Amino acid sequence: MASIAVRKKEVTRDLDHCDIPYYVSEFVERELGNDYDSLGKLDSLIEKLSENKKHLEEQVLTVSSEVPKRIQNALKNAEDSKKSLSQLLEEETVLSESINSHLLKAEPWMEDLDVLIGQVEEIERHLAYLQWISRIEELSDSIQQYLMTNNVPEAASTLAFMAELDIKLQESSCSHLLAFVRSTVKFWHKILKDKLTSDFEEVLTQLRWPFVGPPQSQAFGLAAPANAPEVYNNLEMLFCQLLKLQTSDELLTKPKQLPEKYPLPPSPPVILPIQIMLNPLQKRFKYHFTGNKQTNVLNKPEWYLTQVLMWIGNHSKFLDDKIQPILEKAGSSVNAGLEFSRALVMLILEKLAADIPCLLYDDTLFCHLVDEVLLFERELYSVHGYLSSLPSCMHILSEESCFQRWLTVEKKFALQKMDSMLSSEAAWISQYKDITDVDEMKVPDCAETFMTLLLVITDRYKNLPTASRKLQFLGLQKELVDDFRIRLTQVMKEETRASLGFRYCAILNAVNYIATVLADWADNVFFLQLQQAELEVRAESDTMSQLQLGQLASMESSVFDDMINLLERLKHDMLTRQVDHVFREVKDAAKLYKKERWLSLPSQAEQAVMSLSSTACPMLQTLRDRLLQLEQQLCHSLFKIFWQMLAEKVDLHIYQEIIMANHFNEGGAAQLHFDMSRNLFPLFSHYCKRPENYFKHIKEACIILNLNIGSALLLKDVLQSASENEPLKPSQPSATAALNELGVYKLAQRDVEILLSLRANWPNTGK
């Protein structure tokens, strides 16, 4: 076994070849190991290995005999496949030659057949062409027969069908056929239109159309004379027949279009019967408001605007009561009143397009025109229900040169208004100063007038048709707000020396009011829509950071945020200046109080009644007077910020400069507590329920200074243990818990230790 072990150590494994010695060595080591008794297993092991060897030899012989048979079968299959493939290739060659031969023989036939097919197709086209001509001629003959028998409704229906065929043929390249159909439609359309128009106008004349006065003064119209049913039946019949000519009329009549520079929304032509009803009004409009008539003057746009509104109002009841039912019965979705208004508005748009270039550079005339147009639009929408999706005067005012001029004039007059409002004697006086309930904001007249100006500008541009134009006006409003802020800042700087004066407070109220109103406007639906439009514009132009875009999209910011931030900064600066001014006065008045003899004051038991320290009177009187003064001059929200900022400063000053700078006996500590809790704190009790919460340093210092001796000693012991990091005794509270139990939360542990050291009434403990 030792020799085997030695040989085992000498055998190394050859990784590149099948290493039999190594595996034998491993096998012997695994089966026999170092145990001499295991040598008895050799016989059984040799027998087992012999059996394995015999079994492996049998497997090798079996495989050796089977493999050649499989290979032989595979070779036979391959030979069979090769023969089949050769046979298929031969057949393919024969078939290919047969096909080529057939194609050569059939080629002359194909050429002849192509010629015949071409001839058949041409004959079919000719036949279809003739069928179209025959169809149109049949329809034309039908219309003629209907007219000869005075069957106008059927003639109109047939013409409508012919017009639809004309529309279907528009994609055809048969120009002569198209011309023939169009000329046939035009021929019969003119005959039918002239006849129906004549009859329709006769019925309208019987109705005393158009109505030049209000409905109650109309001679017939909505009245009911004896022949009214017959007249209204004729009206309905002719109206419906004219409606049937609408398709052919749109084919033949090119609608009048304004120049492309005016961004009008697409709209269908006015229906034919309404056009006929409008003819007399259009003639009147052109007679009075074009040419050299005295009624056609540039400085009186209200004349033609008012006239159109009167016409719409005078005819609205008749259109709703008599014409709308006819349209509904005919299955039309047209609204008679809107159709009538739309046609008259188009007259206005044509008039504006002609007049505006003549007065574009006359500020007075142009501004007057814009004012009158806006009044017209307001009444048109609010009274007569006009739709914003239809062409309106705002589309004319949105034309580039006109719109830029409007912006310029708007800014010019706004700046003039700002100059006048700031130079007014009542600029800084509130209109509602004598009405307490209304004057809560104490808004000076100039600020209220300015915000009214911005509101009016919003009303003027909110009906503009596109968001881009509205955003330009919003930009103008921001410019005006910034300009007004700069003017307020300039006036404020002139009043800096009198920061508690009436005008300074009025400026501060104005700044606060403007910021408040702009914040309210930011939540208005109109400005939220503009915010979304601005977001889309800036996202396309990449003029904002991703953070800013995200804030706009999540509504965390608003379109007025920049302006509001600047105003809030100005407000904070002005309030800080006022607080500093009052605080300086309080500090000066507190100098005597600081020098009070806190170490030698009599104890509370020695006094019959506690009274305010005489040295504290100037400080408290100054505080009281200034609080009363600013409460009257500042609005509630500003005054609240003011007194809270002032209270914070006074609290720190008295704590640091008076309490921490002196030592106190029992009487001094009691007097300090009385002065603060019974005199200083109540000054602020008008403005909050618990004023001592705004003077936490003073309040907690008084608690420490007025502790009885036992409690003070215990607290001192606890704080000393905490500062020396000594372990707490059982049932001994922590320093923080002990302070909280006394009501001390603001002061740090070190500050409390200093306050305890300022007490002079410690007992003699021998330490």
Side-chain angles (χ1 to χ4, degrees), residues 240-412:
C240 291
Q241 292 171 9
L242 285 167
L243 272 180
K244 294 177 181 178
L245 301 186
Q246 184 66 30
T247 306
S248 56
D249 193 67
E250 291 178 12
L251 277 176
L252 301 171
T253 307
K254 187 177 181 181
K256 191 172 183 180
Q257 298 286 345
L258 289 174
E260 291 184 359
K261 64 179 181 178
Y262 297 108
L264 295 182
S267 57
V270 178
I271 59 174
L272 185 55
I274 296 291
Q275 288 182 34
I276 297 169
M277 295 173 74
L278 282 163
N279 282 337
L281 295 177
Q282 290 173 337
K283 290 177 181 177
R284 290 182 183 217
F285 188 90
K286 290 178 180 178
Y287 176 82
H288 288 292
F289 304 117
T290 58
N292 298 321
K293 300 296 185 297
Q294 292 181 349
T295 48
N296 182 33
V297 285
L298 290 176
N299 62 346
K300 293 294 182 183
E302 61 269 27
W303 286 355
Y304 61 82
L305 294 170
T306 304
Q307 183 63 72
V308 166
L309 288 173
M310 286 176 60
W311 285 342
I312 294 174
N314 292 344
H315 297 87
S316 61
K317 185 169 178 57
F318 177 81
L319 292 168
D320 291 340
D321 293 351
K322 302 300 180 184
I323 303 301
Q324 189 61 41
I326 300 174
L327 286 167
E328 292 172 358
K329 190 174 180 180
S332 173
S333 60
V334 174
N335 181 291
L338 280 178
E339 196 77 351
F340 186 80
S341 300
R342 180 164 70 94
L344 289 176
V345 167
M346 287 305 298
L347 290 176
I348 297 289
L349 302 192
E350 293 170 11
K351 175 67 175 168
L352 288 174
D355 283 0
I356 285 177
C358 302
L359 48 79
L360 197 58
Y361 298 101
D362 187 318
D363 289 352
T364 305
L365 290 180
F366 182 76
C367 193
H368 177 62
L369 173 69
V370 171
D371 290 341
E372 292 298 330
V373 165
L374 293 174
L375 289 172
F376 169 80
E377 289 267 307
R378 183 179 303 169
E379 184 171 347
L380 187 65
Y381 284 102
S382 61
V383 178
H384 302 294
Y386 199 70
L387 299 180
S388 58
S389 58
L390 299 176
S392 70
C393 300
M394 283 299 187
H395 292 96
I396 302 298
L397 295 182
S398 295
E399 187 272 325
E400 184 63 28
S401 59
C402 179
F403 183 77
Q404 293 303 326
R405 187 62 185 160
W406 183 12
L407 272 179
T408 303
V409 172
E410 202 77 37
K411 183 176 181 180
K412 174 185 174 182

Side-chain angles (χ1 to χ4, degrees), residues 605-743:
E606 296 172 1
Q607 300 182 58
V609 179
M610 291 285 289
S611 61
L612 175 65
S613 300
S614 59
T615 52
C617 290
M619 175 184 71
L620 296 177
Q621 185 176 0
T622 302
L623 264 176
R624 182 201 64 186
D625 293 345
R626 291 310 187 191
L627 286 172
L628 288 175
Q629 176 188 352
L630 290 169
E631 184 182 15
Q632 293 174 353
Q633 293 181 349
L634 293 179
C635 71
H636 176 74
S637 59
L638 285 176
F639 179 68
K640 182 179 180 181
I641 299 172
F642 168 81
W643 73 255
Q644 290 179 357
M645 291 172 65
L646 180 62
E648 183 181 356
K649 281 182 166 290
V650 170
D651 178 43
L652 282 173
H653 176 72
I654 292 177
Y655 173 71
Q656 294 174 349
E657 301 298 328
I658 296 178
I659 297 176
M660 300 294 279
N662 286 286
H663 287 74
F664 297 84
N665 66 358
E666 183 181 351
Q671 185 64 50
L672 176 69
H673 182 261
F674 180 83
D675 292 344
M676 298 296 105
S677 62
R678 301 293 295 276
N679 295 279
L680 175 63
F681 298 168
L683 284 179
F684 293 84
S685 62
H686 299 290
Y687 318 125
C688 63
K689 291 182 179 179
R690 300 183 64 84
E692 63 272 14
N693 289 338
Y694 293 92
F695 297 91
K696 289 184 178 178
H697 290 90
I698 298 175
K699 171 188 169 185
E700 295 180 3
C702 287
I703 291 173
I704 299 301
L705 292 175
N706 284 278
L707 283 176
N708 59 51
I709 294 298
S711 299
L713 286 171
L714 288 173
L715 178 62
K716 190 173 184 180
D717 187 43
V718 169
L719 295 179
Q720 187 174 358
S721 299
S723 62
E724 293 174 359
N725 294 322
E726 294 181 3
L728 295 176
K729 298 175 183 178
S731 74
Q732 183 182 8
S734 65
T736 303
L739 291 174
N740 291 349
E741 186 178 350
L742 294 172

